[in-house]
Amino acid sequence: HSVSRASPNLTFVPACLPPDPMEVEELQRFVSNSKRLFVMTGAGISTESGIPDYRSEGVGLYARTDRRPVQHAEFVRSASARQRYWARNFVGWPQFSSHQPNKAHLVLRDWEKLGKLHWLVTQNVDALHTKAGSQRMTELHGCTHRVFCLACGDQLLRSELQEHFEALNPTWKAEAFGVAPDGDVFLTDEQVRNFQVPACRKCGGVLKPDVTFFGDTVSQEKVSFVHQRLAESDSMLVAGSSMQV
């Protein structure tokens, strides 16, 4: 009953049939019978918050464009790739960071408070589960709200980095012509060309969001931890994920 009644943003929600009452009852029975529920969420759970996913039919990034997310190896080896990534992220950050949890995030938070949810694992990097108040949680692919140095490991908040970007680029302006998942927007090469990217404040190294990019791997320590939480659980629910990653 504590769930917000805010209207969902349906821009990036794929067309679907109304819920089947029989399937809703089946879900209710499943959750009711679960004592230690393990939940895994993907990008589909955040589409009603206004964040697009990759694979949804008709509205996902892959359906709307031929663009693909940055690859880990390209980001690490190419200064121009980092410049392109951070310029687009700089433009998209104010909107991306302002997104709020939807009913699904709040329900999972409430299940945790009730002792129903044993552990939550999310593939998402949008921090919406954290904003909702979930605590028994692992962000499998990291979070865009944190940044770290690849050389020395120094960490800072993404909001702090935004201030560094603004100081380095006082006259730089660019208007996005499309939005993608994970805070990315579409910019032309011409728009990106003069954007300045700060180095690590401690060692001058390369700054990277605390996110597992495509082509990178999740740490074995984190994977083992998640497997332990799964082994302690008696049931598993997948929400908003194709499970293709």
Side-chain angles (χ1 to χ4, degrees), residues 109-129:
R109 173 205 64 191
D110 289 346
W111 287 359
E112 180 184 316
K113 288 182 177 179
L114 291 168
K116 174 66 64 175
L117 188 150
H118 177 59
W119 205 261
L120 169 65
V121 175
T122 184
Q123 298 171 316
N124 300 339
V125 298
D126 53 31
L128 293 187
H129 285 298

Side-chain angles (χ1 to χ4, degrees), residues 169-196:
N169 301 276
T171 62
W172 187 89
K173 284 184 172 56
E175 190 171 330
F177 57 95
V179 62
D182 305 341
D184 194 12
V185 298
F186 304 155
L187 297 176
T188 65
D189 291 341
E190 182 63 33
Q191 288 173 302
V192 169
R193 189 163 290 129
N194 296 317
F195 187 76
Q196 300 296 311

Side-chain angles (χ1 to χ4, degrees), residues 6 26 32 41 58 114 121 127 137 140 155 186 197 205 211 232 234:
E26 185 179 357
S32 295
T41 66
L114 291 168
V121 175
M137 176 186 68
L140 194 64
Q155 298 185 25
F186 304 155
V197 178
V211 168
E232 297 163 354
D234 63 0

